[in-house]
């Protein structure tokens, strides 16, 4: 029988993992430099952005993860190491070396990430200075690290769940430039379960496919997306099916946390597509609806403009759809039956749209595939945030 | 030699074409019911939305345009006839019949459009009553019709150009739910040149491919997009190459007018992609950049966040790009050379971004194909407009 998955509040790092965060002068205030550390060798897997102009940490990280083993992660926020050519690669390596020295591990066992403005040089001396002596700051609270990796995020994001004797903890950031394609901007997953790198490398993309890869805040795919999973084995062996179920549930819950904290967002938007012709089409239609600016502004304004669902499904030109089979509901209120308006009351629908989350369910009636996408509403806050991000 | 193309202000309808617009009670104020009329039979061609849930006028229009001949167009604004099933088809036919009676032409010679909120029933009696006696209102100013077809447009849009003895006039609306895919929301093109329907049906999609189909305001593809071209021949024969050049130039100019009047827009955004591997890839990359919320908010805020160009090009996963070959400039200022920051001054770039239009040029250096896309910035005004469109 499947072991139960128990989400725990507050989040805590699994045994053997610790973290620290400092301000090294990249941000005016607050932590901008973060490390995670495992007391023992951890099996590791990672997925990275599909953006064709990846940051230097992604280029180096893809090579480094091949060994399937890590001891530490080092992350700076405020400036991403992207568009910096050979200098960027050198600085990514220097950042890992400095973390390795400070934590007493090998260079090869450190993966690095940088997140923030694209195209500016990485202030590597500040980072190197900031890492000196950071081992003394290591502690157990994952929110310390969650705060250190934030850019435009409003709240630090970490969660923990237990499955059997093992704990899974995810620390992540999101907010903007989020339509990940392999992983969300930055998500670090730690477990004390004993699993080898091959198992992790199979499980991680599968969990990410239903969670972070179904998340879109603004359709823009970051150059720095990275999702790392480290398993240090201190809690011993675990039934791998139970572990996968917990990993899957935890990544979906984190995707929802990231969506709800999207830039300017006031609510979580979930789109469930049922009975599509294929899983690929279900995912594409769910993503198209969750990304539609007109659906997002409808959710923000609680405007009962249900007809936009027809528009959004219909613009998936290459998917199998049939107007006369389309059924749709919003937070349980049927709004479209057989492709035409269902018998609902505008005021009721407005009340439901005013809530959080807004769940849009679409039944295509043409097959049996399902998908859920995660997003948020589109508000003036997104504009304000992004009209001056470089300069602020 | 090519005949010169002369744009004329103010716009005027070509000889033999007239228009009228009235309020029939769909909008609280202002005209909501419009007709165009040709004194003689006109050869005609049309392109329609690729949205899979097209409105009833699109379904009927596709059939009706096959004869290649029209005498009149009838358009209502405020409520689109979409998601109304069989009733919608019947109402589209009734609307055309009422216009045919009022103008003294055959039913088959009338094409209809409806634009506005999706999924509400069309108030057909108001439209039928409104059309009675409308022939008495026919006159020459295309801005009368341009006002009648507006929804969230801020300004009426019409332009005229002369080529040889012929005139081409375009009357259009845009504003939101605009990533046309065959045509923009509604664009009506009239000429007194003598061209047959076969020629028109070849020229129109080709002109639209470089103009309305390269326009995106918000990535949302309307269910009502329609572009009609009518040629009544009253100005006599014309060299078809010269005519095509004029049609091409006029549709591009109208695409720019539509982009600049996008919902909430403060400026026109043009993205020029050079030396792509193929025309398809050039178009895809140009569209991706012009649609990126982070590029659009950069243009709005005049924030010199040039690195977002790397992100937007890089998220075209299936296109051939090479970071070390990428060159980009904004309004003539080089910002990226060989994939890294060029030597520019942030303050200079900010000044250029504050202007209108903002032209982003990207040279991929991997082939010899070119494309230009038209869009606008993303502002709080878009949110305000669309958070309450149904209810306002």
């Amino acid at each position: 029988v499947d072991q139960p998955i128990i989400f725990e509040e507050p989040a805590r790092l699994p045994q053997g993992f610790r973290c620290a965060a400092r301000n090294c002068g990249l941000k005016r205030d607050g932590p901008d430099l973060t490390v995670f550390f495992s007391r023992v060798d951890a099996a590791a897997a990672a997925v990275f952005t599909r953006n064709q102009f990846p940051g230097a940490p992604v280029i180096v990280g893809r090579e480094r993860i091949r060994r399937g083993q890590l001891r530490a992660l080092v992350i700076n926020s405020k400036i991403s190491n992207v568009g910096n050519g050979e200098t960027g690669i050198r600085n990514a390596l220097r950042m890992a070396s400095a973390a390795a020295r400070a934590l007493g591990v090998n260079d090869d066992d450190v993966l690095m990430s940088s997140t923030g403005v694209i195209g500016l040089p990485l202030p590597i001396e500040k980072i190197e200075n900031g890492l000196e002596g950071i081992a003394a700051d290591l502690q157990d609270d994952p929110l310390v690290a969650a705060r250190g990796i934030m850019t435009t995020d409003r709240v630090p994001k970490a969660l923990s769940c237990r499955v059997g004797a093992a704990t899974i903890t995810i620390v992540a950031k999101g907010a903007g430039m989020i339509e990940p394609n392999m992983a969300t901007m930055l998500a670090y997953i730690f477990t004390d379960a004993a699993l080898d790198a091959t198992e992790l490398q199979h499980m991680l993309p599968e969990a990410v496919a239903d969670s972070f890869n179904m998340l879109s805040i603004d359709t823009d795919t970051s150059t720095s997306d990275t999702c790392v999973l480290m398993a240090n084995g201190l809690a011993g062996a675990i039934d791998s099916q139970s572990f996968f179920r917990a990993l899957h549930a935890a990544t979906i819950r984190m995707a929802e946390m990231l969506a709800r904290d999207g830039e300017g967002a006031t609510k979580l938007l979930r789109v469930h597509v049922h009975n599509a012709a294929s899983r690929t089409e279900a995912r594409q239609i769910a993503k198209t609806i969750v990304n539609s600016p007109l659906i997002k502004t409808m959710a923000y304004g609680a405007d009962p403009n249900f007809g936009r669902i027809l528009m959004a499904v219909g613009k998936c030109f290459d998917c199998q759809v049939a107007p006369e089979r389309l059924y749709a509901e919003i937070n349980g209120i049927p709004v479209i039956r057989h492709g035409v308006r269902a018998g609902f009351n505008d005021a009721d629908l407005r009340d439901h749209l005013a809530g959080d989350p807004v769940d849009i369910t679409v039944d295509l009636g043409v097959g049996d595939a399902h998908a859920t996408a995660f997003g948020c509403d589109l508000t003036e806050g997104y504009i304000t945030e992004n009209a001056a991000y470089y300069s602020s």
Side-chain angles (χ1 to χ4, degrees), chain A residues 48-51 179-184 212-213 221-222 225 287:
Chain A
F48 298 97
T49 184
R50 280 186 65 203
N51 193 297
E179 173 157 336
N181 214 303
M182 282 321 287
T184 191
F212 302 135
N213 275 1
T221 300
S222 160
D225 294 341
K287 275 272 199 88

Side-chain angles (χ1 to χ4, degrees), chain A residues 101-116:
Chain A
R101 272 195 308 277
L103 298 169
V105 301
N106 295 329
D107 274 26
D108 281 359
D109 287 335
V110 182
L111 204 81
M112 75 299 293
S113 300
S114 298
T115 178

Side-chain angles (χ1 to χ4, degrees), chain A residues 66-78:
Chain A
R66 290 195 186 174
R67 287 173 52 244
Q69 181 187 302
L70 289 175
R71 282 291 297 283
L73 308 174
V74 56
I75 304 105
N76 75 273
S77 50
K78 182 68 182 172

Side-chain angles (χ1 to χ4, degrees), chain A residues 18-36 73-79 95 98-99 101-103 113 115 123 125-139 141-150:
Chain A
R18 304 183 81 194
C19 67
R22 283 179 170 179
N23 178 292
C24 74
L26 305 180
K27 289 182 188 166
R28 268 183 293 259
D29 302 301
D32 52 28
L33 182 61
T34 304
V35 294
F36 292 96
L73 308 174
V74 56
I75 304 105
N76 75 273
S77 50
K78 182 68 182 172
I79 292 180
M95 183 167 156
R101 272 195 308 277
L103 298 169
S113 300
T115 178
E125 285 80 11
K126 288 184 180 175
I127 290 171
E128 285 175 332
N129 293 337
L131 285 167
E132 276 178 32
I134 201 165
D137 300 355
L138 287 171
Q139 45 86 42
D141 183 1
L143 285 174
V144 166
R147 277 184 212 103
I149 66 174
M150 284 164 65

Side-chain angles (χ1 to χ4, degrees), chain A residues 153-170:
Chain A
D153 308 65
R154 283 168 300 192
V155 296
K157 285 169 281 285
L159 63 79
S160 291
C161 71
R162 273 193 305 114
V163 54
T167 297
I168 298 175
T169 297
I170 308 183

